[in-house]
Amino acid sequence: MAHTGTHSQPVRSCLLLVVVSVCVQQVHGVWPLPQQLHQSADRGCLSPQRFSFTYGRDSAAQTGCSVLDAAFKRYFSIIFPDFTKGSENRLQYVWSEPQPFVVSVSVKTGGCDGYPDEDSDESYNLSVSEGQAVLRSVTVWGALRGLESFSQLVYQDDYGSYFINKTEIVDFPRFAFRGLLLDTSRHYLPLHAILKTLDAMAYSKFNVFHWHIVDDPSFPYQSRTFPDLSNKGAFHPFTHIYTQSDVMRVIEHARMRGIRVVPEFDSPGHTQSWGKGQPGLLTPCYKGGVPSGSFGPVDPTIDTTYKFMESLLKEVKFVFPDSYVHLGGDEVSFACWQSNPNVRKFMEKMGFGKDFTKLESFYMESIMNMTAALNRTSIVWQDVFDYHERIPQDTVLEIWKGEKYQAELSRMTQAGHRVLLSAPWYINHISYGQDWRNSYAVQPQNFSGTEEQKKLVIGGEVAMWGEYVDATNLTPRLWPRACAAAERLWSNEEKTLNADLAFPRLEEFRCELLREPTVASESLTVWHQEEVTDLTALYKSNRQEVLQDRDTQSQEWTIRIKTQGL
């Protein structure tokens, strides 16, 4: 059996608390709640020096599996957060030789160098008994979920000793898409804040990072094809951008935690920052028959718009490996289009009359067809469906509006579309007290429709919009409030409807989140040229070109560390 080489620590003893005649038998919960969980009051003591992860002999993945090798190291630090090499010198009362404890991990398929996708199997079985735990899964992604559950089963007593109860878990997610949206346009989020969020997502078993990377206020994505988009559209062309290396860093950090990265480039609205670096893209607004000097949404009447969008989407496919891309399509103001005489002429020519929803439909249908031609699946906001647009059948619709989302779920699924629910989980809105209970009470499939319709609800996501959120308040606003949706999207709904019963587990999980090591921020300080070069191996074939300018980008990164104090 192959062991990771990181845990061969000197042996020390496990403290026996003789002063307590009967130990309190503590059974700890897991968040989100597994589908099946059986625990015994019997428990064993764990010693960091005698603890190890290993690959099962029948496992398709063995030593050298990038995802699991890194996970073993990461979870050792998570399970034993207080452990240091000098900790054996602490004063102890009574000593006893500790027993070894081995966590054996077996997966049926390899896939260590791939990316999680919409069809990834995240199921796992975990059996904890005396001196060992056996974790079995179909994929490495399921193994990651099992390791997370195992880490939450370990607890400390008041004297600092580590314990775990005998446990049997059979687990799998209720929904395949469990997302979290970050808005990096309204307030720029430094890289360490994004990576830290990915860490917390993994603890809660979220598996999709919806990166709302650009919007009206700023365009921080540094495009290789159109560099002026960030040069002129970002809050600052140097300190407030995401270089190609930054994006790759996020994608790789997410991959190692079984998280997909789905980018959103929202258009034709929400594009004011685009126009600064791409003249002619936005519609000129008119007042009194003459241009007013202001601009509206993307101009859907000219060929250059579609050539630009096609080039941008090709780059997005090149940079982001996930099969999904979010195209937006929401909140398009028609006032500027109405004021522009060229747009009105185009409307007349196309037979749209004065119905500007048809103009938006014309644009969105063209963009969705481009995405399909690139072998990517489009996600669009519900506005696109509400305007009765001709939507490709495999397009995923996302509901974001108001309290009447059940009726929208019925209409969309009746039309045969897959749906994501986000409307009840806009947690950038805050209220006094335990507002997580509102998120916890959501029932995503509680709408009028057939069982086949309800199967078309593929999941949902928490949205953290950035009007009033930046790196200073992102983490406390997200966690543990987002955990309520995490459990709703993973766990059996019938077993998790009672928020009062869930509260003790959530309270405990919040404490665990506070204790987790800050892997993201620590690793960021050593992100330099050699590591950028190392990433080349991760992006084979056509992805090699992304790092052509790695030397320049590494120099930029060094300066950014100094200027931003990361």
Side-chain angles (χ1 to χ4, degrees):
M1 307 231 302
H3 293 256
T4 62
T6 44
H7 313 310
S8 55
Q9 307 287 352
V11 175
R12 84 169 172 89
S13 297
C14 181
L15 178 63
L16 291 179
L17 304 175
V18 174
V19 292
V20 181
S21 59
V22 179
C23 292
V24 177
Q25 300 303 315
Q26 193 169 3
V27 178
H28 272 232
V30 176
W31 194 283
L33 187 69
Q35 302 292 335
Q36 297 178 33
L37 171 65
H38 302 285
Q39 286 183 301
S40 164
D42 296 337
R43 68 178 187 176
C45 183
L46 304 183
S47 168
Q49 295 88 355
R50 302 297 303 274
F51 180 95
S52 62
F53 291 102
T54 184
Y55 291 93
R57 291 181 179 177
D58 60 344
S59 176
Q62 293 291 336
T63 302
C65 174
S66 60
V67 172
L68 292 182
D69 283 356
F72 291 167
K73 296 176 183 178
R74 188 167 68 248
Y75 276 105
F76 183 87
S77 297
I78 289 172
I79 292 167
F80 304 109
D82 300 329
F83 176 72
T84 63
K85 289 184 178 180
S87 61
E88 65 271 15
N89 295 322
R90 292 179 300 179
L91 180 63
Q92 306 284 324
Y93 293 102
V94 181
W95 301 86
S96 173
E97 186 69 18
Q99 299 299 311
F101 193 98
V102 178
V103 180
S104 173
V105 178
S106 295
V107 299
K108 288 185 178 180
T109 60
C112 296
D113 297 323
Y115 294 92
D117 58 39
E118 60 182 317
D119 297 319
S120 293
D121 188 329
E122 297 175 277
S123 64
Y124 67 92
N125 292 357
L126 176 64
S127 177
V128 181
S129 57
E130 184 176 358
Q132 68 172 346
V134 177
L135 172 59
R136 294 187 176 276
S137 64
V138 176
T139 68
V140 294
W141 318 120
L144 289 177
R145 307 301 173 230
L147 288 169
E148 175 56 40
S149 293
F150 176 84
S151 74
Q152 293 183 32
L153 294 172
V154 179
Y155 57 94
Q156 285 181 278
D157 64 10
D158 292 340
Y159 297 88
S161 296
Y162 297 95
F163 293 93
I164 190 168
N165 291 75
K166 290 184 178 180
T167 307
E168 298 289 334
I169 292 177
V170 176
D171 203 11
F172 53 87
R174 179 185 178 195
F175 292 104
F177 191 112
R178 306 178 308 282
L180 187 148
L181 176 151
L182 288 186
D183 170 10
T184 58
S185 173
R186 290 173 175 85
H187 278 95
Y188 176 81
L189 294 176
L191 199 59
H192 71 83
I194 296 175
L195 301 184
K196 187 176 181 180
T197 300
L198 290 169
D199 290 342
M201 287 175 64
Y203 303 148
S204 304
K205 297 187 174 73
F206 282 109
N207 69 342
V208 180
F209 171 39
H210 175 173
W211 195 350
H212 189 85
I213 194 167
V214 298
D215 205 296
D216 279 328
S218 72
F219 198 106
Y221 170 73
Q222 187 181 62
S223 167
R224 290 179 59 85
T225 313
F226 304 102
D228 276 349
L229 288 171
S230 60
N231 286 341
K232 298 180 179 179
F235 287 133
H236 190 285
F238 189 68
T239 61
H240 285 59
I241 61 170
Y242 303 108
T243 67
Q244 297 284 309
S245 297
D246 294 337
V247 172
M248 291 173 65
R249 173 70 167 166
V250 169
I251 292 170
E252 181 61 10
H253 197 87
R255 184 186 81 88
M256 298 296 277
R257 287 151 183 79
I259 297 172
R260 301 161 56 192
V261 179
V262 175
E264 180 181 358
F265 288 82
D266 190 357
S267 70
H270 292 281
T271 49
Q272 288 299 297
S273 66
W274 303 34
K276 296 174 182 178
Q278 188 64 23
L281 178 64
L282 303 185
T283 305
C285 304
Y286 278 69
K287 186 174 183 179
V290 296
S292 65
S294 61
F295 295 89
V298 165
D299 188 342
T301 70
I302 53 178
D303 291 340
T304 54
T305 289
Y306 299 98
K307 292 178 181 178
F308 164 79
M309 289 302 300
E310 185 175 23
S311 296
L312 180 62
L313 289 172
K314 284 181 178 178
E315 177 179 329
V316 170
K317 175 185 176 179
F318 180 79
V319 174
F320 293 89
D322 199 83
S323 61
Y324 282 21
V325 60
H326 205 305
L327 300 178
D330 65 314
E331 296 185 312
V332 181
S333 172
F334 298 147
C336 186
W337 283 350
Q338 290 171 334
S339 74
N340 187 295
N342 295 324
V343 172
R344 294 198 300 269
K345 287 179 183 177
F346 182 84
M347 295 271 290
E348 183 179 352
K349 175 184 175 183
M350 298 298 293
F352 296 160
K354 295 182 179 180
D355 187 353
F356 285 89
T357 66
K358 292 182 178 179
L359 181 60
E360 183 185 356
S361 299
F362 174 82
Y363 172 83
M364 288 304 299
E365 288 165 18
S366 300
I367 302 305
M368 287 186 286
N369 288 335
M370 286 180 195
T371 305
L374 293 170
N375 197 30
R376 290 291 185 264
T377 299
S378 300
I379 307 178
V380 294
W381 296 110
Q382 71 180 82
D383 313 50
V384 178
F385 175 81
D386 294 342
Y387 288 150
H388 308 291
E389 298 170 22
R390 293 187 296 274
I391 303 171
Q393 198 62 38
D394 69 338
T395 301
V396 177
L397 308 177
E398 184 166 6
I399 299 175
W400 68 273
K401 291 183 180 180
E403 299 178 355
K404 298 181 179 179
Y405 58 83
Q406 290 92 346
E408 193 80 343
L409 282 166
S410 295
R411 288 192 293 269
M412 289 177 173
T413 54
Q414 189 172 24
H417 290 291
R418 291 176 295 166
V419 181
L420 293 171
L421 182 62
S422 186
W425 291 316
Y426 267 42
I427 65 171
N428 51 293
H429 298 292
I430 57 176
S431 58
Y432 181 77
Q434 296 183 30
D435 61 351
W436 67 272
R437 291 173 177 265
N438 299 327
S439 296
Y440 199 75
V442 174
Q443 296 176 275
Q445 293 178 322
N446 184 21
F447 61 91
S448 178
T450 65
E451 288 303 310
E452 290 304 312
Q453 283 180 250
K454 294 182 180 184
K455 290 178 182 177
L456 291 173
V457 180
I458 62 172
E461 64 179 24
V462 168
M464 182 54 70
W465 296 99
E467 288 90 346
Y468 307 105
V469 177
D470 61 15
T472 64
N473 63 348
L474 172 66
T475 297
R477 190 163 294 195
L478 263 178
W479 312 106
R481 297 167 70 234
C483 301
E487 179 149 292
R488 180 57 60 242
L489 292 168
W490 179 280
S491 304
N492 184 317
E493 186 173 282
E494 293 182 0
K495 296 180 180 179
T496 55
L497 283 176
N498 191 320
D500 291 334
L501 293 178
F503 178 70
R505 281 190 302 110
L506 182 60
E507 189 175 36
E508 178 186 321
F509 186 56
R510 177 183 180 273
C511 293
E512 292 179 0
L513 289 175
L514 291 173
R515 289 195 298 265
E516 302 294 12
T518 54
V519 177
S521 57
E522 290 173 1
S523 65
L524 206 63
T525 60
V526 295
W527 178 247
H528 48 70
Q529 181 176 342
E530 288 78 8
E531 286 178 299
V532 174
T533 305
D534 288 343
L535 278 176
T536 305
L538 300 170
Y539 288 77
K540 300 174 182 178
S541 64
N542 65 327
R543 299 186 64 77
Q544 294 281 357
E545 297 178 18
V546 174
L547 288 180
Q548 284 180 348
D549 296 329
R550 61 185 180 274
D551 293 336
T552 302
Q553 292 170 347
S554 298
Q555 294 168 9
E556 292 176 355
W557 177 245
T558 302
I559 298 172
R560 288 176 67 193
I561 290 177
K562 294 177 180 177
T563 58
Q564 291 184 265
L566 297 181

